[in-house]
Amino acid sequence: MNKGPQRTTEKKKDPTTYNSQQIEVLEGLDPVRRRPGMYTDTSSPLHLLQEVIDNSVDEALSGYASIVEVSVFEDGSMCILDNGRGMPIDLHPQHQRPGIELILSTLHSGAKFSQQAYGYSGGLHGVGISVVNALSSWLKVDVYRDYKHYRIVYEDGVLKQPLHQLSRPSTIKNGTKVHFLPNQHFFERVTINSDHIARLIKTKALLCPGLTMKLTYQDIPQQTWLYPNGLITYMGSLSFDQPLWSEPWSLSRQEEDFHVDVIVQWAADHLLSESFVNLIPTTQGGTHVLAFRAGLLEAVRDYTKMQARELRDKITGDDLAVGMNFILSVKMHDPNFIGQTKEKLSSGRISQPMMTLIKNSFLSWLLNHFDHATALLQHIDRVQENRMLKEQSKQLKKNVQVKFPPKLADCTSKHFEEREIYLVEGDSAGSSAKQARDKKFQSILPLRGKILNAWEVKSHKIYESQEVKDLIVTIGVQPMSDDLSQLRYNRICILADADSDGSHIVTLICALFVQHFPALVKAGHLYVAQPPLFRLDIGKQHYYLRSEQEKDALLAQNKGKSHSLIRFKGLGEMNPAQLRSTTLDPQSRLLIRLNYDPNSYENLDLLMAKNRAADRKKWLEEPQSDFISGAVHD
């Protein structure tokens, strides 16, 4: 009987078996080729190029090279040539192989683990150029020593042409040329933007004064960078929006264990915050950046204490960071980085000495540059003011669904009785008032142009004016409401120029309050400030006068005396000190409080009602008196 094919029983492998046969030993450059992402950025070969450039720049840092030439060809290959000492070609005493072969094919080999061959250097892990070799389709290195020319060639990390001397003598005395083609198998893309490369090379020249860096990118004409003065030249070439100082603050100092170069400028915009360690970009910062920022912060805090300057709040690092542009370059021995790409410094030993150096240097500079220090504190105060306003607006919006106008410069006091706000026409006058005020209890709200004539406008219509809407949100009282529990200021002061245009603005704002906020006026919260119209100097005496009548009377009293007269065209023409002493300082200002009574209402109706043109004409032809009969001096 045919029983058909017989099934043979084959012993299957036990998936749970784990023994020594399953252990792999990766040797040479195999670890890099198996897991390239552990050793470099695989999005593009830019980091490979950077590793080779850094080796050449390390020669410059140690004083052996003055020129580095970088070339990128159409086939994607890259070439870096320097005039440094040239890679070592003699046999290693222990391994009996040429030094260059060890450097190119053995991980964690190099001359940068100590300071014998290099002082400051960026290549520290001994894997940079060997990673380039492992991830390149081919790599060729030419070494020049005493006009002798040597070459070694690799393909896919495997030695193809051992180190050998070329018979033809070299025109180059000393140096190294590394030419390689990144293997596209290991990268998401093999092309590198020319601007990225140019920025990298330019930065090396900036951070190493006297080093000439050259770039030839395919068919683009060669570019050359040389900065004898380094960072100062670079910062001066940037165009900042409203820079705080005409010249940035800079420091170049050699300490026992490190060297620091730093340059700082505050401006309305933020263009750069770059840091480097041994010319390696630390794009994620690290301990050196933290120490630098901490040193600046402590210096500013100490300065405010020494000068008895008061700001809105204790200065924070975030306050100082707004608008701060800086480049920080540190050179140090044996820095520790997080990751092979060296984007963040982790060396803790630099923190305290770095912070102390920055603090002492910047504090000394502030003490010797009063105007610059004052400008910085004013900038910080504006930042704090904006921050507190944003916090307040955010909270107010969260609670009552309103948002304060962005131009409001609010005071810090929480005590209603001392809080006051000045309504100022125009940004220019508003800026002067902000600088002149006492930030503790005085707020400033600039109004754009002449405010709406609201005398004959229905209350629900006044919200259509953005300026009026901002005013309503700011003071916290709704039109025609008797509820003043949310009123944010005890005094609402109208501040306009002392001329006829200013009087028109005062009248418009008075009309708005009297007609639509009568409860607020009746409670005595509305005031008119009295800025000067003239400054009259007689001898050594200075007089600020609020009208033509005051000026004429004083001149008559001092008839025949030499004098000088200035007429202020607007609030913006007074410096902050003048505006403070004449108009805002409670000890010397003159405020007129408006009382709500029938005469005040009638006079405003005479001036503002459209159908009373004939009455206004008659009134203008008669002798004038204070049209707000209920005004009293405060």
Side-chain angles (χ1 to χ4, degrees), residues 544-563:
Y544 291 94
L545 310 170
R546 294 178 170 84
S547 66
E548 292 277 357
Q549 292 81 0
E550 288 185 9
K551 181 253 300 181
D552 294 338
L554 188 59
L555 285 174
Q557 293 175 14
N558 295 272
K559 189 174 182 179
K561 294 183 180 180
S562 176
H563 67 275

Side-chain angles (χ1 to χ4, degrees), residues 485-506:
S485 62
Q486 299 301 313
L487 180 62
R488 303 182 62 242
Y489 306 96
N490 185 30
R491 293 182 182 86
I492 299 173
C493 309
I494 306 169
L495 176 57
D497 296 341
D499 56 12
S500 57
D501 281 343
S503 296
H504 185 198
I505 293 169
V506 169

Side-chain angles (χ1 to χ4, degrees), residues 12 28 258 282 310 320 378 406 430 485 583 599:
K12 295 182 179 180
F258 64 92
T282 47
E310 291 186 5
L320 206 60
Q378 290 176 344
S485 62
T583 312
N599 288 332

Side-chain angles (χ1 to χ4, degrees), residues 139-163:
L139 177 142
K140 178 174 66 176
V141 179
D142 293 280
V143 177
Y144 308 94
R145 284 187 169 237
D146 297 322
Y147 296 106
K148 295 178 181 179
H149 187 178
Y150 304 85
R151 177 173 293 169
I152 189 170
V153 180
Y154 287 82
E155 292 182 7
D156 294 319
V158 178
L159 181 64
K160 289 300 179 181
Q161 294 183 26
L163 181 69

Side-chain angles (χ1 to χ4, degrees), residues 39 313 341 406 450 467:
Y39 296 87
D313 203 354
T341 53
K450 291 182 172 62
E467 298 300 305

Side-chain angles (χ1 to χ4, degrees), residues 609-622:
K610 295 180 180 179
N611 61 354
R612 297 192 62 180
D615 294 336
R616 277 194 294 276
K617 183 175 183 295
K618 180 180 178 182
W619 176 78
L620 289 171
E621 294 172 348
E622 297 174 352

